[in-house]
Amino acid sequence: MRNNFIYADHAGTTRLCDAAWTEMKPFFYEKFANPSSLYSYAKTPREAVGVARTTIAMCIGADPEEIVFTSGGTESDNWVLKGTSGGIMVSAYEHHAVLNAAANEAFFGREVVYVSPKACGQLMPETLARKWTAGIKLVSIMMANNEIGTINPISLLAQFAHGRSALFHTDAVQAVGHVPIDVHEMGVDFLSASAHKFNGPKGIGFLYIRKGVCLKQLIHGGQQEFSLRAGTENVPYIVAMAAALKWNCEHMQVHTAHLTALTDYFKSALLELLPNAYFPGTGSDEQLPGLVSVSLPGYPAESLTHLLDLKGIAVSTGAACDSRRTQVSHVLRAIRLPMSLAKCTIRFSFGAENTKKEIDSILEALKVILRRYKSPKQMALRKQRKI
Ligand code: PLP
């Protein structure tokens, strides 16, 4: 990484933590055996997979047999959507791993009902009730939204689904490792997680499947993962994922306090800089620590992202532009954010390693960018280029 680079896109992905890196290395080299092999050399990796499963289970209040390793959030989400039967209810602001899997199921004839969150970015059981149909057998509502960071009342939503004899899945990819999770308290049947969102490697994740709940197998082959998901286990990544989750859970209180202080400071400074700045998700009663989605009226998100990038600051935008049209994120549309704000919304997502000094540098960079963006010279240039 560049020395002066400021990374503020932790909801996009995170850097591997030291604990994960240390844990995984031996399994690439001296402990490389296939855990399914019968010889004694395979015992160490086999046991390591078992220990990792137990660690992960403990971190989310599950039993080890309820944890199945997958290739990440996308696979876990797809598995639940495709491995169940009957009608599906999903929220309109899910990650595309859920939305596109649901659309695919609809293509093959399954009923799919979409529900929209409230303007504050949360979903409530009343909203589900309004759109309920007798055929719905699975409800999939994300725990924390990846663009605006709002957290849903999962136990209430799961209770509601169970009350109507439907299973409940939550995509908790943004929440695991960052907010406390107890699957039994939450009452979910399935929960998706992805290691690279909590300082583990990319391409590994897990699916929690509540004991006794049926899910059709998606990947056939060997008998790995309790004969539920075939394929040789990715031992280094599995042990690293467990180490990363443990590290995050052990430091959760400290990380949360640090991130809350950083984001409170950042938000009030942003308001001083631009008093009409707006934070989508305002009014929700729970937010992911460290995620600040902000609309800066008059300053298109894509331009801001590029200008910040030129200054060595990595942030993300929900809007993707092409030369002819600007597509505004489905999340911002789902919460009915006015287009004028949605086009100007960027996401800062901070991690434990971000510092107040970095926040000050971001604010300084923004100050310069906002001033220059509206300067007569820049306005004339943009007019000339029709941008
Ligand atoms: N679900 C949510 C809420 C996400 O934020 C992401 C990744 O951005 C995914 C699912 C997909 O996870 P993965 O990158 O592990 O496939």
Side-chain angles (χ1 to χ4, degrees):
M1 257 203 270
R2 270 162 31 203
N3 268 347
N4 56 353
F5 180 75
I6 299 177
Y7 186 71
D9 191 26
H10 290 80
T13 195
T14 57
R15 189 213 304 252
L16 205 71
C17 64
D18 290 347
W21 180 228
T22 309
E23 197 65 34
M24 76 196 288
K25 274 188 286 187
F27 292 95
F28 282 114
Y29 202 69
E30 67 264 34
K31 302 179 186 173
F32 67 88
N34 186 328
S36 302
S37 298
L38 292 179
Y39 38 77
S40 54
Y41 190 47
K43 193 167 169 246
T44 307
R46 186 163 52 248
E47 282 176 359
V49 169
V51 171
R53 201 185 303 282
T54 305
T55 304
I56 289 172
M58 277 169 61
C59 288
I60 64 161
D63 291 337
E65 309 75 55
E66 295 177 313
I67 304 296
V68 182
F69 298 124
T70 65
S71 64
T74 301
E75 183 188 326
S76 298
D77 288 344
N78 268 265
W79 190 3
V80 176
L81 276 280
K82 295 173 183 173
T84 48
S85 41
I88 307 171
M89 175 173 265
V90 292
S91 82
Y93 75 162
E94 294 295 312
H95 188 271
H96 283 113
V98 167
L99 286 179
N100 288 343
N104 185 68
E105 292 306 284
F107 180 78
F108 288 106
R110 268 173 93 181
E111 177 191 12
V112 177
V113 176
Y114 296 90
V115 279
S116 288
K118 297 201 295 189
C120 71
Q122 287 179 309
L123 268 142
M124 295 296 159
E126 310 85 81
T127 313
L128 274 52
R130 275 198 291 276
K131 289 262 199 135
W132 196 262
T133 70
I136 294 170
K137 295 292 169 224
L138 173 75
V139 177
S140 180
I141 307 280
M142 68 201 319
M143 183 163 176
N145 184 270
N146 47 307
E147 284 187 34
I148 54 174
T150 50
I151 296 179
N152 279 313
I154 293 300
S155 54
L156 289 181
L157 297 167
Q159 246 175 47
F160 173 86
H162 290 158
R164 305 207 173 189
S165 305
L167 293 168
F168 189 86
H169 165 242
T170 190
D171 172 342
V173 164
Q174 291 290 338
V176 172
H178 304 294
V179 294
I181 289 188
D182 184 317
V183 282
H184 291 303
E185 253 174 40
M186 286 158 71
V188 297
D189 300 295
F190 309 106
L191 177 143
S192 303
S194 173
H196 75 98
K197 306 289 185 179
F198 53 80
N199 308 97
K202 293 161 187 60
I204 188 81
F206 65 87
L207 178 66
Y208 159 80
I209 308 174
R210 189 163 65 84
K211 221 176 272 174
V213 172
C214 276
L215 187 63
K216 265 182 278 175
Q217 195 171 344
L218 206 65
I219 299 182
H220 296 88
Q223 298 188 343
Q224 293 89 353
E225 298 299 294
F226 317 110
S227 292
L228 287 173
R229 196 261 188 193
T232 302
E233 298 88 340
N234 188 342
V235 184
Y237 281 28
I238 289 171
V239 298
M241 169 163 65
L245 185 55
K246 183 164 177 261
W247 177 76
N248 267 291
C249 289
E250 283 170 356
H251 295 86
M252 197 177 282
Q253 271 189 350
V254 180
H255 289 173
T256 303
H258 172 65
L259 289 171
T260 308
L262 282 189
T263 51
D264 286 353
Y265 172 72
F266 185 51
K267 280 175 148 184
S268 43
L270 278 174
L271 283 173
E272 266 176 43
L273 194 62
L274 202 68
N276 62 345
Y278 176 74
F279 301 100
T282 296
S284 67
D285 50 22
E286 229 190 322
Q287 283 271 348
L288 276 179
L291 195 150
V292 177
S293 168
V294 62
S295 316
L296 301 169
Y299 302 93
E302 202 160 88
S303 305
L304 281 182
T305 310
H306 289 314
L307 292 168
L308 283 166
D309 185 33
L310 289 175
K311 292 188 174 292
I313 299 164
V315 302
S316 157
T317 164
C321 296
D322 64 31
S323 52
R324 279 156 296 145
R325 65 204 168 108
T326 299
Q327 285 179 337
V328 166
S329 112
H330 69 287
V331 172
L332 303 179
R333 269 187 277 130
I335 60 167
R336 294 167 295 284
L337 193 69
M339 194 60 94
S340 56
L341 290 181
K343 280 182 181 168
C344 302
T345 302
I346 52 177
R347 177 188 74 184
F348 296 84
S349 47
F350 301 110
E353 70 264 31
N354 284 122
T355 60
K356 180 166 172 290
K357 196 165 161 240
E358 287 181 326
I359 303 282
D360 285 331
S361 303
I362 295 175
L363 288 164
E364 200 47 49
L366 270 175
K367 211 178 282 178
V368 175
I369 289 169
L370 299 193
R371 197 175 51 230
R372 284 214 191 123
Y373 195 84
K374 289 279 166 86
S375 74
K377 194 173 154 199
Q378 288 295 321
M379 303 265 269
L381 258 175
R382 279 201 299 279
K383 210 169 166 189
Q384 226 175 41
R385 293 188 204 140
K386 295 195 172 51
I387 50 171

